[in-house]
Amino acid sequence: MIASFAPMEGLTSHIYRRTHARFFPGVDRYYAPFLAPDGQGKVKASALRDLDPELNRDLSLVPQILCNRPEAFLALSRELEAMGYEEVNLNAGCPSGTVVPKHKGAGMLADLDSLDRFLAEVFSACPLRVSVKTRLGMESGAEFPRILEVYNRYPLSELIVHARPRDGMYRSTPELGPFALALAKSRAPVCYNGNVLDRKAYEKVLLNFPGLDRLMLGRGAIANPALFRVLRGGTALEAQELRAFLDALCAAFREDGLQERLILGRLKELWYYVNHMFPGAERELKQLNKARCLSDYESAVGLLFASGRFDPDAAFPGALPE
Ligand SMILES: Cc1cc2nc3c(=O)[nH]c(=O)nc-3n(C[C@H](O)[C@H](O)[C@H](O)COP(=O)(O)O)c2cc1C
């Protein structure tokens, strides 16, 4: 099984990726959160820095682009090529209300003629291999057969299918029927994504698709950073290693020169997912949420780990902000 860490904007920066790989080795590929170029294909220096090969040493990393203008996609791909990348991923899945109306992300699936033209231009000139991360459609998985026909006209290096339509956001039950079609009919290798939040969900996916050999984990791996290991039959996450991982992340953010306020924001966002492993520790979690500086945060984390409430098998509800 080729196991990939999903792109998670605001969460899986280079600091997260490298720290994660150090503590929880075994991820075959990390996909970077999307770059959203302007019309000339330019992005902010800080966004490009996140992909600096030196800051992503020893990782297999695939950059991702969110854009619907082939010239911009190609210009940025050339820049990525100059940085040493060999593959780029197109985001055809972002469901955000600020992205979709601009016909980007999942919004590309609303007009298949435009998607086709976009891919034709990109594939005629892109110096990199191009993979796509897609939703099943805008409103329903019934749209997927036509979408797949478009993808099959091009030599995609991989088709990652987040098995929900855009309207399902991160809530709806993944639709396995259209995913089965992708596995059967896609010219490109297919990767499953969507709601593999624990071992039970993984086993269910494997039962449905015994031949599946590519899997991408997102929220489940943020919520339990040892999830890749657990799915491969390894040991459950231990409290000490979670603590050491979170401490190392905090230290790495500091070393990178990030302002305290921003570090706190990033860590709290992570805790939004991690907190499910502390059932019954509402008081300590509230204190963590209220932390205004890193020393408050560190005291709250100390109390949480001392609470004895850590349970690595507690179910991650998968309920998320949108
Ligand atoms: C906070 C957040 C940020 C995300 N950022 C990206 C992104 O930058 N690019 C992308 O293709 N998908 C992004 N996604 C979608 C995930 O990569 C993934 O497809 C989705 O969470 C479903 O997988 P999961 O059920 O394993 O979490 C994001 C999702 C969340 C919740």
Side-chain angles (χ1 to χ4, degrees):
M1 182 71 74
I2 299 176
S4 303
F5 207 133
M8 303 285 282
E9 214 248 322
L11 291 163
T12 58
S13 65
H14 69 277
I15 292 189
Y16 184 92
R17 296 188 295 263
R18 285 207 69 204
T19 311
H20 184 265
R22 182 151 65 88
F23 280 81
F24 303 100
V27 176
D28 296 305
R29 290 180 193 165
Y30 290 83
Y31 285 75
F34 65 79
L35 297 168
D38 65 16
Q40 275 70 52
K42 293 281 171 222
V43 291
K44 279 197 212 138
S46 59
L48 219 47
R49 177 176 177 266
D50 185 58
L51 295 169
D52 181 341
E54 191 49 36
L55 300 177
N56 290 280
R57 268 191 319 278
D58 308 323
L59 298 182
S60 171
L61 179 64
V62 181
Q64 185 188 65
I65 301 181
L66 174 94
C67 110
N68 61 5
R69 299 176 62 165
E71 338 61 84
F73 188 98
L74 290 168
L76 185 50
S77 296
R78 286 190 283 271
E79 198 154 348
L80 294 169
E81 183 196 25
M83 292 167 78
Y85 288 98
E86 293 176 355
E87 177 177 337
V88 63
N89 181 262
L90 169 70
N91 181 324
C94 179
S96 158
T98 57
V99 167
V100 168
K102 294 181 196 149
H103 309 289
K104 295 179 188 174
M108 294 183 98
L109 308 176
D111 176 351
L112 298 187
D113 289 336
S114 299
L115 177 67
D116 198 3
R117 281 195 300 275
F118 174 88
L119 292 173
E121 283 200 46
V122 161
F123 277 93
S124 70
C126 191
L128 307 178
R129 293 194 301 272
V130 180
S131 57
V132 174
K133 182 164 177 282
T134 189
R135 293 251 179 177
L136 298 176
M138 286 292 288
E139 291 166 14
S140 136
E143 296 161 42
F144 192 64
R146 288 192 54 230
I147 294 170
L148 185 60
E149 267 175 36
V150 175
Y151 291 142
N152 272 344
R153 288 180 201 140
Y154 302 95
L156 276 53
S157 57
E158 181 180 41
L159 180 62
I160 303 164
V161 181
H162 179 184
R164 294 183 166 102
R166 183 265 172 173
D167 287 356
M169 303 300 275
Y170 297 102
R171 263 191 321 257
S172 65
T173 305
E175 294 182 38
L176 300 188
F179 182 77
L181 180 79
L183 263 188
K185 295 270 167 69
S186 167
R187 274 175 64 197
V190 172
C191 174
Y192 179 85
N193 172 239
N195 266 26
V196 178
L197 306 172
D198 54 26
R199 203 177 154 89
K200 226 165 95 190
Y202 176 60
E203 281 164 4
K204 194 171 147 206
V205 169
L206 283 188
L207 202 67
N208 278 293
F209 307 112
L212 185 74
D213 61 2
R214 293 175 188 235
L215 177 73
M216 174 177 270
L217 304 178
R219 296 163 300 167
I222 297 285
N224 176 353
L227 187 60
F228 289 91
R229 180 178 81 203
V230 170
L231 297 191
R232 289 187 161 123
T235 53
L237 180 68
E238 287 175 23
Q240 305 89 299
E241 69 177 336
L242 176 62
R243 176 118 199 228
F245 170 62
L246 293 167
D247 287 352
L249 259 181
C250 184
F253 282 134
R254 281 189 210 260
E255 247 170 67
D256 198 48
L258 203 64
Q259 284 171 25
E260 176 156 345
R261 186 177 53 81
L262 298 177
I263 299 178
L264 196 58
R266 300 255 177 120
L267 293 170
K268 283 187 183 177
E269 190 149 354
L270 268 182
W271 271 99
Y272 179 87
Y273 297 84
V274 172
N275 67 14
H276 80 283
M277 282 188 287
F278 293 84
E282 282 74 25
R283 200 160 38 93
E284 291 85 352
L285 287 166
K286 203 165 161 195
Q287 192 160 340
L288 190 145
N289 263 328
K290 276 173 39 191
R292 292 267 162 269
C293 60
L294 282 176
S295 66
D296 287 355
Y297 164 84
E298 278 156 7
S299 322
V301 169
L303 288 175
L304 255 175
F305 279 96
S307 71
R309 303 273 189 185
F310 176 74
D311 174 6
D313 296 322
F316 172 55
L320 287 161
E322 277 162 10

